[in-house]
């Protein structure tokens, strides 16, 4: 899944899990469900890991980076009314800047007025792998509150390896179709070998396509790119709104450059102190929490295919799992032009996709009804395709490729072998009887990655930074609320803003209370009151 991290759709951040699915992405730490020696070992490793704290970089800019900080952007028409685009250079390897550049796509929409311009507001929707420029042009640049767009130039940069910035792309459309249909709940040794083979093939494709870039797409490097952009735009401090994985990116920036961190909003926060395994386990719990909320809503409505009034969330989950098992044995038709049928893996992703936003629950109910009662899997396939960013012509964005590339570089793999996954299955299935098995096996993807990880889990303190607003949603599926609590507690100037509700992230999703608090912070620098909660 994405944990590694992300945001689907043009709203806010998504968090993709770790593997054949997608995931958010980051680090290891607080254990909530633990059992057996494997969990004890993980907890011990997490305890050791959280002793590390991201260190700030020296404030003076190294002379070797002066050409990058001093570059001038040449703005041009984007082909999208109201937006301008440019290309920025950054060193491929910050340790060896003389050895080559990476070219990063940048876009902006200038402040519309009235009112004094406050500078640039950089946005990132998460992933990793989500296109920040796509998010800017399709949502933030036209959908953020008018008073914010009036005072700020709205800006985005696609991170290295993503979308328009030298994208990593591992497989072509047909191979991606096969990859996304791979069974991630193997029943025997043959199916396990097939899943491992799919992960290996994906990794080999990435290594062959971008062998040099693959070593330099870490979150730390992208955060350093953001500081070059801040300087090039003429801003003394960075103003930033990051969603989902974008919160990890923003927090990393603050940790590296605390004196240059201005008004930072981290919405749908990640906890950088967690290992890959703990991230995936806690995200699995998050999807279970969201599903139970959906289940309670579904059975109150007529025609819910998973149960009638009074059906418990546990039984709803068992009914859905039975449907997945049926698909595992016999996929159903979808009418897809490329002949794809609805498999267990595609249906699971379709359900997970709808957990990100409660406005998708009706579509999910209807799609489940069509698939379960009419043997028509088109609706769930469409949800899955939206999550994977598959186009009608069979082509995919590079979201999945970039997601793995960043996640597998940022943290050591969650598991080292299929045997380790099997040992962890009880823990994951306890976290989510519906999704646990698939998400555990999906966490095996980085095990076969062609590049060794350069990062590790750590705390981020950002001592000396201005107040940083961390937003958490109590029933967030992809970035559990406890992650926001943890990040706000780590940051020396963190201020937690809580949204009591469903869905992934909170800003711009209908809560006047949340939007007003964040707008006041962006426009006047006034952080929310301590302990502020909205619904």
């Amino acid at each position: 899944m994405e944990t590694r991290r992300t945001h689907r759709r043009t709203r806010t951040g998504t968090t993709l899990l770790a593997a054949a699915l997608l995931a958010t992405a980051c680090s290891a730490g607080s254990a909530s469900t633990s059992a057996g020696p494997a969990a004890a070992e993980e907890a011990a490793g997490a305890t050791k890991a959280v002793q590390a704290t991201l260190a700030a970089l020296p404030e003076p800019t190294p002379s070797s980076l002066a050409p990058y900080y001093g570059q001038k952007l040449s703005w041009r028409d984007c082909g999208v009314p109201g937006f301008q685009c440019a290309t920025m250079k950054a060193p491929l390897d910050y340790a060896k800047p003389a050895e080559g550049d990476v070219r990063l796509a940048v876009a902006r929409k200038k402040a519309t007025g009235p009112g004094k311009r406050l500078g640039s507001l950089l946005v990132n929707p998460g992933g990793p792998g989500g296109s920040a420029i796509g998010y800017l042009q399709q949502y933030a640049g036209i959908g953020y509150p008018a008073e914010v767009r009036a005072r700020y130039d709205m800006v985005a940069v696609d991170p290295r390896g993503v979308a328009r910035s030298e994208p990593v792309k591992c497989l072509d459309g047909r191979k991606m179709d096969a990859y996304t249909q791979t069974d991630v709940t193997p029943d025997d040794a043959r199916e396990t070998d097939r899943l491992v083979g799919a992960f290996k093939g994906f990794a080999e494709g990435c290594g062959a396509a971008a062998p040099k870039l693959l070593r330099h797409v870490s979150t730390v490097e992208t955060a350093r790119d953001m500081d070059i952009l801040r300087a090039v735009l003429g801003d003394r401090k960075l103003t930033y709104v990051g969603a989902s994985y974008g919160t990890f990116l923003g927090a990393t920036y603050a940790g590296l450059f605390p004196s240059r961190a201005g008004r930072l909003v981290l919405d749908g926060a990640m906890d950088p102190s967690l290992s890959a395994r703990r991230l995936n386990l806690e995200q699995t719990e998050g999807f279970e929490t969201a599903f139970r909320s959906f289940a309670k809503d579904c059975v109150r409505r007529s025609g819910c295919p998973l149960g009638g009034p009074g059906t418990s969330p546990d039984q709803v989950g068992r009914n859905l799992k039975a449907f997945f098992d049926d698909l595992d044995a016999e996929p159903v038709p979808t009418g897809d032009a490329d002949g794809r049928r609805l498999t267990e893996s595609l249906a699971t992703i379709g359900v997970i996709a709808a957990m990100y936003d409660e406005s998708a629950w009706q579509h999910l109910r209807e799609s489940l009804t069509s698939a379960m009662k009419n043997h028509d899997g088109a609706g769930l396939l469409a949800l899955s395709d939206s999550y994977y960013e598959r186009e009608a012509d069979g082509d995919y964005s590079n979201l999945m490729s970039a997601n793995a590339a960043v996640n597998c570089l940022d943290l050591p793999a969650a598991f080292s072998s299929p045997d380790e996954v099997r040992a962890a299955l009880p823990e994951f299935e306890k976290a989510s009887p519906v999704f646990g098995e698939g998400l555990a096996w999906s966490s095996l993807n980085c095990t076969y990655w062609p590049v060794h990880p350069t990062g590790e889990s750590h705390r981020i303190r950002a001592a000396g930074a201005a107040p940083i607003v961390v937003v958490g949603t109590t029933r967030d599926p992809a970035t559990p609320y406890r992650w926001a609590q943890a990040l706000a507690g780590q940051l020396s100037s963190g201020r937690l803003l809580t949204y009591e509700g469903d869905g992934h992230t909170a800003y711009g999703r209908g809560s006047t209370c949340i939007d007003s608090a964040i707008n006041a912070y962006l426009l006047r620098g006034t952080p929310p009151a301590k302990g502020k909660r909205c619904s």
Side-chain angles (χ1 to χ4, degrees), residues 215-484:
R215 292 173 170 79
H216 297 289
V217 292
S218 70
T219 297
V220 165
E221 288 164 311
T222 295
R224 297 190 70 172
D225 297 341
M226 287 164 51
D227 194 55
I228 292 176
L229 179 59
R230 171 202 58 78
V232 168
L233 293 172
D235 293 323
R236 189 174 65 86
K237 293 193 174 187
L238 180 75
T239 303
Y240 174 82
V241 176
S244 197
Y245 161 75
T247 67
F248 178 47
L249 183 56
T252 299
Y253 180 90
L256 295 174
F257 306 103
S259 66
R260 301 173 193 169
R263 300 170 187 177
L264 307 187
V265 177
L266 310 180
D267 185 12
M270 297 197 60
D271 179 358
S273 74
L274 299 180
S275 68
R277 174 172 166 168
R278 182 56 56 177
L279 274 174
N280 293 338
L281 179 63
E282 294 193 6
Q283 192 178 61
T284 298
E285 292 177 329
F287 280 110
E288 180 68 17
T289 296
F291 175 74
R292 293 178 72 86
S293 187
F294 162 76
K296 292 174 184 177
D297 179 80
C298 186
V299 299
R300 289 197 295 262
R301 299 176 185 273
S302 62
C304 174
L306 297 172
T311 305
S312 71
D314 288 341
Q315 185 59 53
V316 171
R318 286 191 288 270
N319 294 342
L320 180 61
K321 191 68 169 64
F323 170 60
F324 287 161
D325 291 342
D326 290 342
L327 291 175
D328 190 28
E330 183 62 40
V332 302
T334 63
D336 177 60
D338 294 314
R340 291 178 301 157
R341 295 169 71 85
L342 183 68
T343 62
E344 177 190 17
S345 56
L346 291 174
T348 301
I349 287 299
V351 173
I352 282 175
M355 295 300 100
Y356 282 84
D357 189 342
E358 64 272 28
S359 67
W361 289 358
Q362 179 180 347
H363 184 191
L364 176 59
R365 289 195 308 274
E366 294 170 350
S367 298
L368 284 168
T369 299
S370 294
M372 296 173 73
K373 298 185 178 180
N374 303 323
H375 298 284
D376 178 4
L380 284 172
L381 181 65
L383 283 168
S384 175
D385 284 350
S386 73
Y387 190 77
Y388 284 128
E389 294 191 354
R390 183 190 191 272
E391 302 299 333
D393 62 3
D395 194 20
Y396 288 75
S397 78
N398 88 312
L399 170 65
M400 285 284 289
S401 301
N403 184 265
V406 176
N407 287 330
C408 297
L409 198 61
D410 274 352
L411 285 178
F415 298 107
S416 63
S417 70
D419 286 343
E420 283 195 4
V421 176
R422 289 189 192 94
L425 283 177
E427 193 175 19
F428 275 77
E429 290 176 322
K430 180 180 178 182
S432 174
V434 178
F435 306 116
E437 182 184 8
L439 296 186
W441 281 106
S442 293
S443 303
L444 195 61
N445 69 326
C446 287
T447 304
Y448 309 102
W449 202 244
V451 175
H452 291 298
T454 57
E456 62 179 359
S457 52
H458 53 262
R459 296 174 64 87
I460 299 179
R461 180 163 169 73
I468 297 172
V469 175
V470 178
V471 188
T473 297
T474 55
R475 294 185 294 278
D476 191 312
T479 51
Y481 178 63
R482 75 180 68 160
W483 290 359

Side-chain angles (χ1 to χ4, degrees), residues 75-86 106-108 133 137 164:
W75 294 100
R76 61 187 183 279
D77 181 72
C78 281
V80 180
F83 292 88
Q84 297 175 306
C85 290
V106 182
R108 74 176 178 187
I133 291 178
Q137 294 177 342
R164 299 163 178 83

Side-chain angles (χ1 to χ4, degrees), residues 118 152 263 467 518-528:
L118 295 174
Y152 284 101
R263 300 170 187 177
I518 292 175
N519 292 346
Y521 172 66
L522 290 174
L523 295 172
R524 296 186 290 279
T526 306

